[in-house]
Each structure stands twice: as C-alpha cells, then as structure tokens.
Amino acid sequence: MALADPERGISNGADSAWPFPEIIELNVGGQVYVTRHTTLISVPDSLLWSMFSKKTPKELARDSKGRYFLDRDGFLFRYILDYLRDLNLVLPDYFPEKSRLHREAEFFQLRDLSKLLSPKMSKDNSITDEICQSDSDEPSAQSASAIPLVGPESSRALSVVNTALSPSLESKKSGYITVGYRGSYTIGRDVQTDAKFRRVARITVCGKTSLAKEVFGDTLNESRDPDRPLERYTSRYYLKYNFLEQAFDKLSEFGFHMVACSSTGTCAYSSNDPNEDKIWTSYTEYVFCRE
C-alpha cells in the first residue's frame, strides 16, 4: 500500500530505504513543478542528480509548503525538465531566450544541453543566433551563392535571393498590438500638495502571439497563456515591468506607431467620509500598428 511521504511526496510506492519519494514537488522561482525522482536524476553528474542522489531531503532547501526550492528562473525550468524526461531539446519556432536557457543549462551542469544551446561560430568567427540549422536549408543557401549571375537578370535574381535569406524582412510582419494598463491616483482636498502620482498595476498585451514575442521578448510574461501557437491571438499576456513608456519605446523600436487610444475612469472615496481623499481609477488602451 502506497503511503504519504513525510518528506513532501505525493505518494511513494518505491523502496522505503530510498530517502526521496517517487513523486517530487519543486518550487522553482515561484513556479511549481511535479515530476518523478527518476527524471531529476536522469543525467549523471548534473546538479539535480547530485542534489537528489547524493544528499538527503533534510539537506535541501524547502519553501513554506515543504516543496524543494530552487532559486532559478521558473519559466525556463520547464525546458530543463522537458530535456531531462527524454534527453531531447525541443523549442518553439520563435524563442528569444536561448542565451538565458543556455545559462540555466550551465547552472544545472547539463553539458550536452549546454552544447546544443551554445552560439555557433560562422566562418568569419562571428556569432550566429541559431541553435541548429536543418540540412534542407544548407544546400539552398549554398546553391544560391554558387549560381553565376550575369546579364540583365542578375540584379533581379540577387534581389530574390537576398529577400529569401534575410531574416529581418521575414520577421517584420504587419499587424496590430494593443497595450492596456489600469492605474490609480489620489487627489486630496488640497490638489497641489495632496495629489499622488499614478500607480500602474499591470500592463497587458493583446494581439498575435508572434508579434508580441518579437517586440517584448523575455519581458513578456507567458505564464497565463503558455504554448500558444505563433499565429494565434491572445489577450492574456502582460509585461514584467510597470513603465508604460518603456513599452512604447519597444514598440517604436520595432516599427510600430500609435493609431488609436481609449480610456475610462471611475472615482470613489477611500472611506465613507466624504471629506476624505478621492481615489481615481482609470483603464486605458493604446492600439499600435505596423504596416
């Protein structure tokens, strides 16, 4: 009969002499993961292998609920855990956090994963941004560069080749992004002395997933809507910072311009006493477009 494990295991049908339960709960940077003990020790000599095979449960840090705690990036740990399950690296088509994931792989001492994520060096010793390149892409690039271009058609052919090989032209697709925020401020009886500046609670991002990731990258919090396909739309993203102007700068940097905005507001007293300060709350949306 499987018994509840006192060292924070959901159930343990393994040998009672083993110090860790079969199912283990982790708190990685505030994100909770549940996995098997065999998954965590699947790569010998890695950090997790050392923690969960060389140490005892009492030697490891815990959170307030008894989960094993790791002070690392909780969102990127999902890819670390996926790799440990079958030792295979699978990333989304658009993944702007390769360098940060490479840092996490080095921290967890996953040498093979770190090699897969290491930036490749080109022939001129410059760093490329690709993890790997499919075999089908290489011959096309080589054959395009090897074709002798002569005559009046040469400029047209070069234009077609450069357009096909240019990632910047391909990535800059047209579309709309809506940025919204909810803020509040207080105005007292003496407006000049008692006024308090606005407080932005959260900046939301709505639009096509691929455009949102292109513009905001790793500052986009995807925890509320993970694994959404790039061509689908979402209204559940928000930014990890609270500076609205910082979002505007990013949108401008990627060629977006504002085309519309709307705002609503409400007013309420901070208490039942009408002589107390008034609290104003507003919600504003800005619509940006790239043609």
Side-chain angles (χ1 to χ4, degrees), residues 203-237:
I203 301 175
T204 60
V205 176
C206 310
K208 186 174 289 187
T209 302
S210 58
L211 290 179
K213 289 186 176 182
E214 177 192 347
V215 174
F216 298 109
D218 58 0
T219 64
L220 193 71
N221 194 320
E222 304 176 54
S223 61
R224 296 174 60 190
D225 200 7
D227 297 328
R228 175 163 286 271
L230 295 178
E231 297 306 313
R232 296 291 297 275
Y233 290 84
T234 180
S235 60
R236 296 178 59 81
Y237 287 163

Side-chain angles (χ1 to χ4, degrees), residues 45-275:
D45 299 324
S46 65
L47 178 63
L48 292 172
W49 178 85
S50 300
M51 290 175 59
F52 290 94
S53 65
K54 294 295 185 181
K55 295 184 179 181
T56 63
K58 294 182 179 180
E59 296 179 89
L60 302 180
R62 306 289 191 94
D63 65 6
S64 59
K65 295 185 177 180
R67 305 184 187 99
Y68 296 101
F69 179 74
L70 294 168
D71 189 15
R72 302 301 298 181
D73 192 313
F75 299 103
L76 291 179
F77 187 76
R78 58 186 296 193
Y79 300 105
I80 299 293
L81 197 58
D82 283 343
Y83 175 79
L84 293 175
R85 291 188 177 111
D86 54 15
L87 302 183
N88 186 31
L89 175 62
V90 179
L91 297 178
D93 293 335
Y94 182 86
F95 188 73
E97 299 185 280
K98 297 172 187 174
S99 60
R100 295 182 60 190
L101 183 57
H102 178 242
R103 182 182 63 185
E104 295 301 301
E106 290 186 331
F107 174 82
F108 287 106
Q109 301 172 16
L110 299 170
R111 297 180 181 86
D112 290 340
L113 178 59
S114 180
K115 290 179 181 178
L116 291 174
L117 292 165
S118 296
K120 287 191 171 184
M121 300 296 294
S122 62
K123 292 181 180 179
D124 58 353
N125 291 330
S126 61
I127 298 178
T128 64
D129 191 35
E130 297 180 353
I131 292 180
C132 58
Q133 186 177 25
S134 61
D135 295 335
S136 60
D137 292 340
E138 293 181 356
S140 60
Q142 293 175 356
S143 60
S145 61
I147 296 176
L149 300 175
V150 293
E153 299 297 325
S154 60
S155 59
R156 183 184 304 174
L158 281 173
S159 177
V160 172
V161 170
N162 290 334
T163 301
L165 297 180
S166 174
S168 60
L169 294 178
E170 175 67 21
S171 61
K172 291 188 176 180
K173 298 179 181 179
S174 61
Y176 291 83
I177 291 179
T178 300
V179 174
Y181 80 91
R182 180 175 287 103
S184 63
Y185 56 93
T186 302
I187 297 180
R189 291 182 297 276
D190 187 346
V191 176
Q192 298 298 324
T193 59
D194 293 342
K196 297 180 180 179
F197 292 102
R198 74 182 184 192
R199 179 178 63 86
V200 178
R202 178 168 291 175
I203 301 175
T204 60
V205 176
C206 310
K208 186 174 289 187
T209 302
S210 58
L211 290 179
K213 289 186 176 182
E214 177 192 347
V215 174
F216 298 109
D218 58 0
T219 64
L220 193 71
N221 194 320
E222 304 176 54
S223 61
R224 296 174 60 190
D225 200 7
D227 297 328
R228 175 163 286 271
L230 295 178
E231 297 306 313
R232 296 291 297 275
Y233 290 84
T234 180
S235 60
R236 296 178 59 81
Y237 287 163
Y238 61 91
L239 300 180
K240 297 180 181 178
Y241 51 82
N242 292 330
F243 297 100
L244 191 61
E245 291 75 14
Q246 187 175 350
F248 290 171
D249 287 340
K250 294 295 293 184
L251 286 160
S252 176
E253 178 183 343
F254 281 85
F256 285 83
H257 61 277
M258 189 187 303
V259 294
C261 69
S262 64
S263 180
T264 60
T266 60
C267 176
Y269 291 101
S270 58
S271 69
N272 294 329
D273 186 355
N275 295 320

